[in-house]
Amino acid sequence: MRTGRTCKGVENASLAFSMLLTINQVLTGYTVVDLPRIAILGGSGYTGGELLRILSMHSEAEVIVATSREYKGKPVYYAHPGLHGVYRGLKFSEVNIDKILEADVVFNALPHGLGAELTGAAVDSGLYVVDLSADYRLRDLDVYEKWYGKHPRPDLVGRSAYGLPEVNREEIRNSKFVSSPGCNATASILASAPLAAHGLIGDYLIADVKAGSSEGGSKPSRGSHHPEREGSVRPYSPGGHRHQAEVEQELARIAGRPVRVSLVPHVVPAVRGALASVHTFLESVDPERVASAYTKFYLRERFVRLSRFSPVKYPDVKNVVGSNFADVGYAVDPYTNRVSGFAAIDNLVKGAAGQAVQNMNIMLGLPEDEGLRSPPLRP
Amino acid sequence: MRTGRTCKGVENASLAFSMLLTINQVLTGYTVVDLPRIAILGGSGYTGGELLRILSMHSEAEVIVATSREYKGKPVYYAHPGLHGVYRGLKFSEVNIDKILEADVVFNALPHGLGAELTGAAVDSGLYVVDLSADYRLRDLDVYEKWYGKHPRPDLVGRSAYGLPEVNREEIRNSKFVSSPGCNATASILASAPLAAHGLIGDYLIADVKAGSSEGGSKPSRGSHHPEREGSVRPYSPGGHRHQAEVEQELARIAGRPVRVSLVPHVVPAVRGALASVHTFLESVDPERVASAYTKFYLRERFVRLSRFSPVKYPDVKNVVGSNFADVGYAVDPYTNRVSGFAAIDNLVKGAAGQAVQNMNIMLGLPEDEGLRSPPLRP
Amino acid sequence: MRTGRTCKGVENASLAFSMLLTINQVLTGYTVVDLPRIAILGGSGYTGGELLRILSMHSEAEVIVATSREYKGKPVYYAHPGLHGVYRGLKFSEVNIDKILEADVVFNALPHGLGAELTGAAVDSGLYVVDLSADYRLRDLDVYEKWYGKHPRPDLVGRSAYGLPEVNREEIRNSKFVSSPGCNATASILASAPLAAHGLIGDYLIADVKAGSSEGGSKPSRGSHHPEREGSVRPYSPGGHRHQAEVEQELARIAGRPVRVSLVPHVVPAVRGALASVHTFLESVDPERVASAYTKFYLRERFVRLSRFSPVKYPDVKNVVGSNFADVGYAVDPYTNRVSGFAAIDNLVKGAAGQAVQNMNIMLGLPEDEGLRSPPLRP
Amino acid sequence: MRTGRTCKGVENASLAFSMLLTINQVLTGYTVVDLPRIAILGGSGYTGGELLRILSMHSEAEVIVATSREYKGKPVYYAHPGLHGVYRGLKFSEVNIDKILEADVVFNALPHGLGAELTGAAVDSGLYVVDLSADYRLRDLDVYEKWYGKHPRPDLVGRSAYGLPEVNREEIRNSKFVSSPGCNATASILASAPLAAHGLIGDYLIADVKAGSSEGGSKPSRGSHHPEREGSVRPYSPGGHRHQAEVEQELARIAGRPVRVSLVPHVVPAVRGALASVHTFLESVDPERVASAYTKFYLRERFVRLSRFSPVKYPDVKNVVGSNFADVGYAVDPYTNRVSGFAAIDNLVKGAAGQAVQNMNIMLGLPEDEGLRSPPLRP
């Protein structure tokens, strides 16, 4: 009746085995098998908080370190009041490389550049690494340096898997090092991947993204001051956004040929949510072919829901908030031969922490939705 | 490290037993023991949707019926687009008493009056009933008729347990029929119960409640039209709100003497969340005694978090949205000997569906937080 | 020091003359010259309310009729509580053609189709008419019928001036019949007109518009129910929106050649405001030429403010709410030769009632900003 | 037909005279009589911006100085992007006492304490002073020092008029120095003044205020960061707020006897608006007497609108945003003999800058609503 139940419909024997171990725990009262130990670099930002929130629902993971310079020594609920009473003993700590290397999995939620050497060390030590920064997303060092400047660990560029499971699952499964994309890129690629895969992108593709205020992070500024930000609708970085390079990179891989992509993000007065609207013009367009491209591409995806019929004919960020779902849809304008794709995600979940956990699950061979089964919070 | 994990720290042998049964399921691939079957009366409103959302995370319950006249025959995601892909086979049905009586537990989420006979029939048949309407909350028929008029099943008035576990857990545990309170009453009682229990309520107590728009239900109206409701802060029913009768009733039971309560709800421009601020004036007031009253009263409560220190010195609905937590705090104004209590809840969770599931868990002897462990969604 | 003062810096002798008449009023205590009498068709919707709000600040106009079927006989503040105490004697009335023809100026704020015959009658009678509906915006009957179906007064199609003063002032000045464009078209044309005028539109132009909830009008529906609409970001009518025809029409006139335009509106969680982002790709692009196109085009415009430098480098609807300003800006992405234009307006003011009054002022030879001088309300 | 028109119905001869002067200006092209010159201390905060916005619509005032340390040398639209194009030449300057003393009227919009000596100097020099800070609101130095500590100009304490015209107009009219109250006090006093005047306050009065985020000022902080503040409903300073002293002071003057007042402000997720709900319990209560108290008290007030009947039975901040109106209402709970009063204001207008301008108008003998006639912006 209900999807996403852990215990109905056996997927593989390892699940039964892990349950036997768990029973042992239950009966004996202590843990006999260790859960994967998690270290979070940058635990006090919104992505860090969201990793903590999601991992608290994950039955196969234990957070042992969450770093924060600002909140070191404080319980995690100091930065994340919602987690009051959820994590009892866990306190933020300063970065300590030895402590981090005790983990099995390292999530890097630090801003671009700050964690590149730490994740490098974790990769060198053979840990599982999910990097949520932009440090290793671009596969080509030249392209990286054009957008971001010098790289602290050029030897590792191109070594991580691009962590968008819906377009790159096999590479992630066979990797121990994943670069998990951000919300603008995730939404833009999910909205346009079926078009790329079926030759339905014209000379150019414009990705016009609308994102909530949490995308800007947890640091107060004038632009994020509530009286200023509420009611605000405006573009930012419209003269070429860094993330368009990774969208171009991945769409080209899917299409098997270069694709010209231009990305313009906008702020809108929501807290959570990002909607990518991608538009391209063709010589002629067959609505059936577009429909079929999207249907085929996402047929078996656990976290992609295709919006086709009322009452959810087109994606709305409202329908995915708090979940790892990406709602994807499309439209064709017969007057101008325009094809549009739309993807709605929660920027902090499918656009950040949720996708990072999804990547960890794939690498570790766990059910892909472990920890990610709570439905959207709506209304 | 983390609280709320099912499998760490055995609580009682029944858990291990239930896990063995589950293993059997896993190995054999089909269900050998039946989960409690759930019927939801009024499945398409916000409370109904929230019951569906929460029960999708509940490992010991299976929804077999959700009624809706408006959406009968449609999949549940027609009313609740967030649940797209979460409930695959479940469709809304019209009320069918035989079908409902096949359930083990009946939740009544219909508006006041509409479900009173159905829940009566379910009670008569010995089913577990959690009634979320106001039908059976008042224990005294005279008081009921003063506020609501004639009762369709006067014989059942006073037969249900008042479903606020933090003040009435034993009665709920020993009952099969619970009247689960609404958000105004839940927040008001939780904010003032410690004061009532410790003789800290003066001649009068005023409960000034601030609630989000989802409290008004899912039916569009001019007052709930987005351009009108957004930015709106106003009182409603300030000349005596029906819910003050049940607050008075429960505080009197706790205090062991009559308490005069007046309740004024207000709308504020949030979607989810209700904050009750209760104020009373005393002859003199000892801050230590107030602090101790709250600390003692909620010492062992799973879902009450006491707000005492920065950064969560006072409750904020922002910190509980999406969860069954009630954040409770207090303040003393030494200049006027005023004592205030505050309780912040998610009106649809602790103020409705979450508390209803908590009540079911208590009646069925399940862990009280089963299905209710997902942390608040913040920011 | 301050712009927009009526009485500083004489513009023409008629102003002094009108002041002498006003003095006469002041000294004698009654009106010797009649102010233009205004009739508003559709006075209870948001556009009607905004006309009433703006005209209450207009020193050269007197509203004598405001029609409303729903509120007939009620004071105007029944529909517009903000106007409580602003209009004392004015009540809504049913449509009465004789009464309407007593007016000097008729504003049609009825939905598409409902007022076409009434405005036709007013035009026939030689009244000044500002039509805010889509009835007469398209100059070509064939194009009209393709998008809207049969027209009740085909003889009048093509007879009105398109009421966007910044691109069509002379035609408006010489007309007594103006079709005032809606918010999607106004924002899209203002964002792209300088590109059209300077040959800077490529094969296609996409107009991706983001609009607040008041654009949907005052009638409650499920999609506009506050709990559903708040936090919502989604496209609507993405398969070809009716308003793209008028954008195409006007840009072609400006460019002197056909322009292919595709329009996709989105809802965002604001109440007021619309931002149009228009994107086009060129063979090559010279940032100076783009800057110069915008600067020249809007050099002398009272209501267009060019966003070029911090802190208002790009338009934000936040900066124009409550005013008749359109903030316009642009950006060039050198990586893909994309040019983008942006226009932020208050959808109810510059996108509806404010522009309608601006059109009336132009037709009547009044100062263009009469009644429209109150600055944006920010924050 | 419409209220608030300048030129209809002569009020006094001085208006005609001032118009003759204005005509002279129009005909000669330069100013022959000087408008009152305005200096604003603290021009870059929200109150300063609102003073600038309102004074741009004021026909009898010219802003010559607006101070700002942060923005000195920048045009005023740097701090207030909404004013782009409204004030052309005006730039922020540092505090320069000589320059300030060139003004006729000084508004102090600096935070508590910072401007006390400057306003003192302006008072000493015989300028008109409207002080929007808390510096001089308390008439009793002892009470002041209990709440705020040492005063820099104790000699001036008790010398200003308390600037709430609806309860203190005569004193303001006869003064050159007014302390304009803030939003919490304005709303609380307006909600309860009729009760105080008619002996309808019991032993205690609780003022439970709900205010939007702009009340916190323009300085970013974690609590005002959009993702944190949006959706937030919480009390602040519930253990005795400084503003309760001035509410107590003024209600005692109105009542002619001491009144015990306790004030608890709350934040709610609006940008503009404050609603005060005041509650008191009586021995017995006569609804007619309450109604009559409010009706009589506000009978002739230009800016107070009594909410009594649908559709505006109770005040809503939504109906006053952007205007100087205070919507006031009341309710009686016969079950507990509770009387409640409600007042809804725009915290930046009637709760700050609008009221300050109203006070200036009264002192200068101008029409009380000069510059304050623009209706609320709704929706």
Side-chain angles (χ1 to χ4, degrees), chain B residues 156-196:
Chain B
L156 288 181
V157 170
R159 295 253 321 268
S160 70
Y162 191 79
L164 191 57
E166 288 75 12
V167 304
N168 207 29
R169 186 171 284 107
E170 280 319 296
E171 195 182 347
I172 299 163
R173 202 191 304 280
N174 298 322
S175 178
K176 296 189 76 174
F177 179 22
V178 170
S179 278
S180 214
C183 82
N184 287 333
T186 296
S188 298
I189 298 172
L190 290 177
S192 48
L195 301 176

Side-chain angles (χ1 to χ4, degrees), chain C residues 30-213:
Chain C
Y30 61 91
T31 308
V32 286
V33 283
D34 280 341
L35 298 174
R37 286 156 303 179
I38 311 289
I40 299 173
L41 307 180
S44 61
Y46 287 153
T47 301
E50 202 68 357
L51 282 167
L52 288 165
R53 183 181 74 83
I54 291 167
L55 290 170
S56 83
M57 296 182 283
H58 197 292
S59 64
E60 305 287 330
E62 172 148 28
V63 179
I64 59 162
V65 183
T67 75
S68 167
R69 217 178 310 175
E70 187 180 356
Y71 291 96
K72 66 172 170 175
K74 304 279 189 194
V76 294
Y77 80 84
Y78 262 65
H80 310 297
L83 298 180
H84 189 191
V86 175
Y87 282 90
R88 286 239 166 100
L90 190 63
K91 289 182 179 163
F92 288 117
S93 56
E94 273 196 292
V95 168
N96 175 325
I97 185 68
D98 294 334
K99 183 76 184 157
I100 290 164
L101 294 183
E102 284 173 22
D104 301 300
V105 184
V106 175
F107 288 96
N108 175 29
L110 290 167
H112 167 64
L114 294 187
E117 304 207 36
L118 285 167
T119 49
V123 170
D124 294 345
S125 302
L127 272 52
Y128 289 92
V129 173
V130 183
D131 189 345
L132 291 95
S133 80
D135 292 346
Y136 296 99
R137 287 183 201 148
L138 294 174
R139 299 164 191 261
D140 187 306
L141 187 59
D142 288 347
V143 177
Y144 179 91
E145 290 184 341
K146 176 175 137 193
W147 288 94
Y148 295 94
K150 208 130 191 69
H151 198 293
R153 285 292 301 267
D155 58 309
L156 288 181
V157 171
R159 296 250 323 265
S160 70
Y162 191 79
L164 191 56
E166 287 76 11
V167 305
N168 207 29
R169 187 172 282 108
E170 280 318 297
E171 195 183 346
I172 298 164
R173 200 191 304 279
N174 299 320
S175 179
K176 296 189 73 175
F177 179 21
V178 170
S179 278
S180 212
C183 83
N184 287 333
T186 296
S188 298
I189 298 172
L190 290 177
S192 46
L195 300 176
H198 290 79
L200 290 165
I201 295 183
D203 293 340
Y204 297 95
L205 181 113
I206 176 86
D208 186 297
V209 181
K210 299 95 180 139
S213 60

